[in-house]
Structure formats: C-alpha cells, structure tokens
Amino acid sequence: MTHWKKILQNSLNSPAELTRYFDFDNTALEATCASFPMRINPYFLSLIQSVHDPLWKQAVPDPLELEDTVCIADPLAEESLSPVPNIVHKYPDRVLFLVASECSMYCRFCTRKRMVGTSTMRITEDSIEKGITYIRRTKTIREVLLSGGDPLLLSDNKLDSILSRLHGIPHLEIIRIGSRVPCTLPMRITKELVTILKKYHPLYINTHFNHPQELSEEAAEACSLLANAGIPLGCQTVLLKGINDNAKTLKKLFLGLLRMRVKPYYLFQGDLTKGTNHFRTHSSCGINIMRQLIGSVSGMAIPTLALDAPGGKGKIPLTPQYIISNGQDLTFKNYCGELCTYPENGDPI
Ligand SMILES: *Cc1c(COP(=O)(O)O)cnc(C)c1O
Ligand code: SF4
C-alpha cells in the first residue's frame, strides 16, 4: 500500500489538473482557488464518478464561492472567543484546540475556509505549547477537542507529543479528535497511528462523512482499526444543498455509518461562512428530514440536527415539534402523526 504521505503529495491543487480526469470547463474555477485553496487527493478523486457527483460538489471549487455576498468570514466568532491563539473557549467545560492547518482535502463548505490550508492559519510548536499551558492553567476544562485543519495529518511523533502532554493534565478527563481522515484519506489510519492513539484513553474520535458514496471498503477498514483500539467513533455530517439534503441519502449514510461502528453525532445546519452560501438549506429542510428519520430507523442512527448559532452563541438543537400542548395533560404527536396524551403528575418545575 502506498504511504499516505505519498498519496497526499500527489494531490491535485488546481481545476486545470482535474481536466486530465474529467471533461469540464475549468476557466471560471481557477480564480476561486486563489481565494480558497483546492486539494483533492488521489484516493478521494477515485471516489468521484462524474462532474455532477455529490463528491465532486464537495471537493471542486465553484465560482459561486466568490459570489457569496450574504455570509461572513468568521460567523462563529472563533477569533473573539480565543484566549490564546488557536484555542476557542466557548463553553465552560471544553475547548477547541486547533493543532493542524492542513487537511487531506479542502472541503468547499468548510466552516474555517477563511484560513484552513492558507498561510493565515499559523500553528507552531510555540502556539501548541501555549495552548497546552492554557488548558493546564484552566481547571474548569474537562475536555479538549483537537481540530484544525485535520489533527491526524500531523506526523505520528508530533501527535504523540501533543497527546501525551494533554494526557498528563490531571483535570482533563477526555480527549476528542475531530478528523475527516477516515473519510478522505483512510490510509492515514495505520497500525502505528492506532498504537499511539490508544495510549491516551478515554480518547474519542468524531469523523466526518457526508454521503453514502464515501463509505468505501478503505473507509470501513480505517474505522475498524480505530474501533478495535477501543476508540468510540462519532460522525459530524454537514447538511449540504444538492449533496445530501434528503431523507433517503441521509438514511443510507447514517445506517451505513452504524455498520462501520460510527455513531452519527451531529447533523449540522450550514454555517454562515463566506463562500458557502450556495450550500445552505432552509432550516425547515433539516427539520423535515429529521421528522422522516426519527422513529422509522434505529435511534442509534439518529444524530442531533444542530445549528451553530452566529456570534459564537453555541450549538442549538433543531428538533421537529412533537408537543401540541402541555396543560394538565401533555399532548403530542408520535412519529406516525398520531395524537397521543400523557397525564401529568405534579407541578411544573
Ligand atoms: C462545537 C464546539 C464544541 C463542542 O460541542 P459539543 O456539543 O460538546 O460537541 C466545543 N467548543 C467549540 C468552540 C465548538 O464550536
Ligand atoms: S476536513 Fe474539515 S477542516 Fe478540513 S477542509 Fe474539510 S471541513 Fe474544513
């Protein structure tokens, strides 16, 4: 098997290179790459079947990215919630810690597309040490989420060093890694990597699959290596217009993930990130999809549909409305639309 670094080195970085594989007009696409980088590695390229494909839309630049006049660069106010560079401290008990600036693919809908894969994202040994020091000094932090960029693109040694320093912090109970690698470069999940990761339990990985076409044998093998090392796997899917914004596609994705021992965790309503407006759906789209899925498929396959509120206000669950009234009886509709009641007992709290 070709080494993952070699695969990454052979990535396509411009639409012009892509014309060797697909018949399309790349002229209008080149300018987009000047603002937002493109990277499609040969593995992900092999999953793309056509220029109309849901995987194509995730990976290939679109002139609409530059025409976005609605969205803003940093909708989650990550920069103002940052006590030290590359730490985002929004919730009392957990922090986001950006430890890598690169990804194995640059997703066109990325929330951090203002910086991921560009020189504005500066991560150094010094910024990492300062981040670790902040976590060590802030005793309310129970959990750290490693993100970026993709933490699993760091070398084994670098990752080992970060994880071991974090693991040594007494009040830090859990390490969570956010990584798209199991989906976009599954050969990065090597036995050597897994041997490192499993030293730092309780360690969770939330990966990121958006479409059933991404559930390849290689991806299943990567998830299996991780799960066999006792790492609980979750998935953070983004709801994307024209890619996965229907119940049939998401049902297939979520059930497929469960078979790969990955628990669907969040389904994200699109963020207001500049250059991604064309991917955003109306909030009713996701809520209707959830209504079709809840009850009709295993609860294990159901993620929380969540909106990350603009301005760094936190994640808000978007749930279909089941409750009709809550007087003396609680009246609600079930998943089939039947009216049901539940007699209350006691005063409201
Ligand atoms: C999403 C997010 C988290 C994690 O939230 P969970 O609901 O625990 O998954 C933590 N910090 C920041 C800044 C986030 O955006
Ligand atoms: S892998 Fe994640 S961080 Fe990287 S480009 Fe895709 S969405 Fe953004």
Side-chain angles (χ1 to χ4, degrees):
M1 191 169 69
T2 319
H3 192 274
W4 64 272
K5 284 190 176 160
K6 190 98 203 156
I7 299 175
L8 205 56
Q9 273 166 17
N10 290 328
S11 294
L12 308 186
N13 302 306
S14 73
E17 294 170 63
L18 199 57
T19 58
R20 290 210 307 268
Y21 303 89
F22 295 95
D23 185 23
F24 70 103
D25 182 6
N26 64 302
T27 43
L29 276 52
E30 300 295 338
T32 313
C33 291
S35 297
F36 303 115
M38 165 181 153
R39 175 183 274 176
I40 306 176
N41 72 61
Y43 165 74
F44 201 82
L45 181 67
S46 76
L47 300 181
I48 301 178
Q49 290 164 6
S50 82
V51 301
H52 307 293
D53 192 287
L55 275 52
W56 172 280
K57 290 181 193 158
Q58 292 188 53
V60 180
D62 189 312
L64 291 174
E65 292 173 40
L66 297 181
E67 290 164 25
D68 178 0
T69 54
V70 175
C71 298
I72 51 182
D74 179 19
L76 306 180
E78 290 190 330
E79 272 147 46
S80 66
L81 292 167
S82 181
V84 296
N86 302 320
I87 290 256
V88 185
H89 197 170
K90 176 156 77 181
Y91 298 112
D93 76 335
R94 55 207 189 280
V95 287
L96 197 68
F97 186 12
L98 310 182
V99 295
S101 60
E102 281 188 66
C103 296
S104 48
M105 169 172 112
Y106 294 126
C107 311
R108 305 324 299 173
F109 50 84
C110 179
T111 288
R112 290 191 201 108
K113 76 185 280 166
R114 72 183 184 279
M115 56 193 224
V116 167
T118 76
S119 57
T120 50
M121 190 158 189
R122 217 162 276 129
I123 288 163
T124 60
E125 188 40 56
D126 184 55
S127 80
I128 287 174
E129 186 51 43
K130 287 203 169 88
I132 293 170
T133 302
Y134 177 79
I135 296 167
R136 195 180 288 120
R137 285 204 192 123
T138 315
K139 300 245 170 18
T140 53
I141 302 172
R142 215 191 318 258
E143 178 177 349
V144 61
L145 274 87
L146 300 184
S147 184
D150 200 315
L152 296 189
L153 280 203
L154 295 176
S155 69
D156 287 1
N157 283 342
K158 202 150 192 177
L159 198 60
D160 198 3
S161 145
I162 295 171
L163 289 172
S164 94
R165 280 177 280 167
L166 290 170
H167 198 67
I169 299 175
H171 58 268
L172 199 63
E173 296 174 9
I174 283 173
I175 298 173
R176 188 189 329 174
I177 297 178
S179 172
R180 215 183 166 198
V181 147
C183 171
T184 50
L185 188 65
M187 28 312 272
R188 169 61 183 116
I189 309 298
T190 59
K191 287 202 180 71
E192 294 74 22
L193 175 67
V194 166
T195 304
I196 293 168
L197 295 176
K198 72 179 185 193
K199 292 191 288 182
Y200 302 111
H201 278 310
L203 182 134
Y204 286 68
I205 291 184
N206 270 354
T207 183
H208 175 175
F209 288 80
N210 293 325
H211 194 277
Q213 209 172 301
E214 295 167 344
L215 305 176
S216 68
E217 268 175 41
E218 291 90 337
E221 177 59 30
C223 292
S224 183
L225 272 170
L226 294 168
N228 288 347
I231 301 169
L233 301 173
C235 182
Q236 308 199 158
T237 298
V238 183
L239 185 58
L240 297 162
K241 193 192 262 179
I243 294 177
N244 63 8
D245 56 342
N246 62 81
K248 188 165 170 259
T249 303
L250 287 177
K251 178 178 170 180
K252 200 168 169 197
L253 174 67
F254 296 151
L255 292 175
L257 284 168
L258 269 194
R259 281 198 299 277
M260 286 169 36
R261 290 189 278 170
V262 181
K263 166 85 186 78
Y265 174 64
Y266 275 135
L267 172 62
F268 282 121
Q269 173 70 22
D271 286 332
L272 273 181
T273 303
K274 185 127 208 123
T276 68
N277 196 41
H278 57 297
F279 288 117
R280 291 197 307 134
T281 55
H282 191 276
S283 63
S284 61
C285 169
I287 294 171
N288 283 333
I289 292 172
M290 294 308 292
R291 194 185 283 285
Q292 291 172 71
L293 296 182
I294 292 170
S296 78
V297 297
S298 164
M300 292 282 293
I302 307 285
T304 301
L305 172 64
L307 180 155
D308 217 337
K313 300 296 181 188
K315 292 179 182 74
I316 315 295
L318 302 180
T319 322
Q321 186 57 261
Y322 292 96
I323 295 175
I324 307 287
S325 67
N326 46 2
Q328 277 205 323
D329 290 348
L330 183 68
T331 312
F332 52 89
K333 283 194 173 163
N334 75 352
Y335 73 103
C336 304
E338 296 164 320
L339 201 62
C340 315
T341 57
Y342 170 84
E344 298 283 13
N345 189 10
D347 296 327
I349 47 166

